[in-house]
Every structure is written in C-alpha cells, then in structure tokens.
Amino acid sequence: MSAAPGRPKQTRTAALQGEGSPVNTAPLSVEQIPAGVVTLADHEAHARTRLDDNAWAYFSGGAGDEFTLRANCSAWNERLLNPRVLQPLAGGHTRVKLLGRTLAHPVLLAPVAYQRMAHAGGEVASAYAAAALGAGMVLSTQASFPLETVADAIAADPIRGPLWFQLYIQPDRGFTRELVQRAERAGYEALVLTVDAPTSGARDRERRTNFHLPAHISAVNLAGMAAPAQRTLQPGQSALFDDLLATAPTWEDVAWLQSITRLPVVLKGVLHPDDARQAAALGVGGVIVSNHGGRTLDTLPATASVLPRIVQAVAGELPVLVDGGIRRGTDILKAMALGASAVLVGRPYLYGLANAGALGVAHVLRLLRDELEIAMALCGCRTLAQAGPHLLFRPD
C-alpha cells in the first residue's frame, strides 16, 4: 500500500512521540503523559480539561439517565477474584488466539467515531499506538480519516495486532458493498457489524450541549453516499418506523453481508442468548457482548452480567468478545474467567488520545497489559487458558 498523500512514512517510535506527523498538536515539541496520570481514571479526569463541552458530551455521555453507562463499570467491580497461591508462574504470558491469529494480549481498541475531535491525529494516532503495543484495532465506519490511510499507517508493522473494520449497513446496499470492498482491498481482516443501533439513543448530554461536529470533521468514509429518499408519511405513520427505519438491517442482511465478503463477520451488540444462537447458526466469525457503552438504550444490563449467558448459549461454537466498563487489568482477567475470548476498550483510549495523542493511547494499553499480568500472577494464573470460573469468588 502506498503512503497517504502528504503524510510521510515514519518509525513507530517517532509516531508515538508525535514527531513529523499529524499526531502531534501539543504546544510541546514532543507530547508527554501528563504528570500524575497513572490509571485509566486519571486519564479520564485529565481528558475533561482537554476536551470542550461539545466533544465531552459526545465521547463521555450515555443514553437517558446513564444507568447502563454506570452499571458497566460497577458490574466488573462487584465481581471478586478468588486467588490461588504457590502456583507455578514461570513462563507465563498473556497470549490468546483469535480468528486464526495469535495476539500478544486480549485487548482491542473498540470502534470510536470522529476521533479527530479529541486530537488532530485521530484514528491514525490510535492505530500507531495499537500497533506499537500489539493490540487489535477496530476502525469505525464514522472514522474521521479514510480507512485506507489508517490501514496504510500500520500495514508494515511486524508486531501489530489485527485490524478490523466496523460496519453500519447503509440504506444504499450498493454503497455498503463498495465500502466492504474498500476494506478488503486495504487489508482489514474482519468486519464488525454493529447490530444494536438501528437508531441513535436519546443522549441527553448531547442535546443539552446542542452537539455538532466541527466543520473540519466528518465521516469521510461515507463521502459520496446518496441521501436516502424521504418518504411521504400518511396520517398516523411514524417518522422513525415508517421512514428512517424502513430499510433497517435484519438477519437477512447478515447473511447477505456474508455472501459478498471473504472476511469473517463479527456481530457487535449481542445481549440476548437467542440472538447469540442465531448468530452461531449463521456461522458468523464471532459475537461481541456490548450495550454500545450505554449510548443507545438505557437500563440495559451491564455486559459483565450478560457475558456468561452468551458464552453458554454459543457453547464454544464461536469466539465471544466483550466491551463496556473495562477500566482495569483485573476487569480483563474477570472477563476471561467468564469465558470471553478478548475484550475491547473504547472511552479509556479516547481519553488517552485527548491527553497525549498516540503516546496517550499507548499508555492506556500499557497500563492494562501490566495490570493484567499482575492480576494473573497474584491469582496464580500463568496463562489465560487457565482462567475460568474458579478464579471468581462466590460467597457461600
């Protein structure tokens, strides 16, 4: 793949330091982790000082009263670890296998739209960081950099994790097909179909701030797509159900997507066991237990609570990933003990991006990796293959 016009090729170290690339907009020549930032919670607190009210409402807000947003984090905290002592730990590691690849650790960057609102480097900076730390990355359909530019930035990196493309099926199925073909040509290794957001949630924070995209930021990968024809509604018809959702995707569209691509299709947003079983019956590549970070429908259960049911429903037929509320390495270990194949993080790395560009994202990933190793060692767990329900404390 050729380099994107106007963006010089550079080493991974230079990219992380913000040298000679769009990932550096700080007043210092080299971006640094802010003093005192040593946890993901610290990154969040500092990012609030870096993001304006408009961007903060978009990235941090949830739907409705944000019950699910809060529950995602608290549900992991409520699960307690049950360590073993004096276990052999020499040769331990965090490696896992996922969709035919061996990953250095089970952490992927979840799809987050419009990352240039947080930092000029946007998704390119996040991709550099993911590659440097061996993490997987899922690029959003609504990325603020072209999907080809992001893929090209890390294509030659020998230690990078998998690069997946998150997809919203568009009303124009022909445009969707072209988008899939672009992702295939660019070297993406899987399609992550978001299935839990046929419409946006009622996000009160965004409404209070009158959220709007800055003039220089857009969903560039959707450029050129024709606007759907507006339907004439009859009296009593709904503008949502009878117009906007008239072409909403169904299970038939999942099968159609599988028929037009050679890439595995992973369904993101599965919470019901019956949906998990239907996904397995279709032979999808995997499912992601997700409530969209609490951004779509409020009062959904926390993903930590749903994960065991989905794992049981698919009975090992396909990988089960989980996102939502992961803030510590202990959360990752708990997810693996509950049967997850890997986890995704969203808001935490966005906060790192806002704080220090690619270096901030890398710092978030490093913290999670280090904390995971510590948690494993202190639980007597040498590899993640040894993680299971026995690692979780159950009171009598």
Side-chain angles (χ1 to χ4, degrees):
M1 266 176 243
S2 60
R7 179 172 55 77
K9 285 185 177 295
Q10 56 186 220
T11 66
R12 183 168 63 235
T13 301
L16 288 177
Q17 293 178 335
E19 298 172 2
S21 83
V23 302
N24 182 26
T25 60
L28 300 175
S29 59
V30 176
E31 290 183 292
Q32 300 176 352
I33 303 302
V37 173
V38 297
T39 68
L40 271 59
D42 293 337
H43 268 291
E44 180 175 358
H46 190 79
R48 183 63 188 96
T49 71
R50 303 274 293 183
L51 298 171
D52 61 25
D53 291 344
N54 186 65
W56 184 254
Y58 181 79
F59 290 127
S60 294
D65 297 312
E66 300 185 345
F67 173 88
T68 298
L69 176 63
R70 294 186 297 273
N72 275 344
C73 291
S74 62
W76 295 113
N77 293 333
E78 290 166 2
R79 280 160 176 77
L80 306 180
L81 291 167
N82 191 35
R84 295 292 306 277
V85 299
L86 302 175
Q87 301 299 302
L89 298 173
H93 61 78
T94 59
R95 293 188 296 274
V96 295
K97 292 185 178 180
L98 184 64
L99 295 188
R101 288 194 56 173
T102 298
L103 282 62
H105 54 82
V107 183
L108 294 87
L109 300 186
V112 177
Y114 306 123
Q115 292 185 27
R116 288 182 64 201
M117 282 202 300
H119 188 279
E123 293 85 1
V124 173
S126 296
Y128 279 133
L133 272 294
M137 179 171 178
V138 186
L139 185 75
S140 172
T141 288
Q142 296 172 305
S144 45
F145 274 100
L147 64 90
E148 293 86 356
T149 300
V150 177
D152 178 68
I154 62 172
D157 196 308
I159 70 165
R160 71 171 178 86
L163 181 62
W164 299 351
F165 184 69
Q166 178 267 336
L167 181 68
Y168 288 107
I169 291 181
Q170 303 299 319
D172 184 341
R173 298 302 193 263
F175 186 91
T176 300
R177 182 191 293 266
E178 293 174 5
L179 196 59
V180 169
Q181 292 171 346
R182 285 176 58 192
E184 290 181 347
R185 289 194 299 269
Y188 288 80
E189 301 162 49
L191 299 176
V192 177
L193 178 64
T194 294
V195 295
D196 65 343
T199 186
S200 296
R203 301 202 283 258
D204 295 344
R205 283 206 226 181
E206 291 182 28
R207 293 191 290 186
R208 291 189 185 103
T209 58
N210 191 28
F211 171 75
H212 59 281
L213 281 176
H216 65 289
I217 295 175
S218 65
V220 295
N221 292 301
L222 298 180
M225 182 176 65
Q230 190 171 7
R231 290 170 170 78
T232 300
L233 298 178
Q234 301 301 315
Q237 285 189 307
S238 164
L240 181 62
F241 289 106
D242 297 308
D243 187 3
L244 293 177
L245 297 182
T247 57
T250 66
W251 285 104
E252 292 181 355
D253 290 289
V254 175
W256 169 77
L257 180 61
Q258 290 175 294
S259 75
I260 67 165
T261 183
R262 56 179 173 78
L263 301 178
V265 175
V266 178
L267 303 189
K268 179 177 180 291
V270 174
L271 294 176
H272 199 290
D274 287 347
D275 288 335
R277 283 186 279 267
Q278 190 159 357
L282 279 175
V284 302
V287 295
I288 301 175
V289 177
S290 174
N291 52 37
H292 218 97
R295 290 172 57 82
T296 52
L297 181 62
D298 200 16
T299 70
L300 290 176
T303 51
S305 301
V306 176
L307 175 59
R309 299 183 182 186
I310 303 303
V311 170
Q312 183 180 23
V314 303
E317 292 185 47
L318 45 78
V320 177
L321 293 78
V322 64
D323 68 13
I326 301 287
R327 297 294 184 271
R328 287 282 189 179
T330 47
D331 298 337
I332 301 172
L333 183 56
K334 293 170 188 177
M336 304 300 286
L338 290 171
S341 301
V343 306
L344 299 93
V345 295
R347 290 182 177 92
Y349 85 84
L350 191 282
Y351 299 141
L353 178 67
N355 290 332
L359 186 63
V361 178
H363 188 239
V364 166
L365 288 168
R366 184 74 254 180
L367 288 172
L368 288 171
R369 171 83 177 272
D370 289 349
E371 290 181 2
L372 173 59
E373 290 188 350
I374 292 168
M376 290 171 61
L378 293 177
C379 282
C381 185
R382 183 168 52 187
T383 70
L384 291 171
Q386 296 175 338
H390 64 279
L391 281 183
L392 300 175
F393 178 77
R394 286 179 170 79
D396 294 335

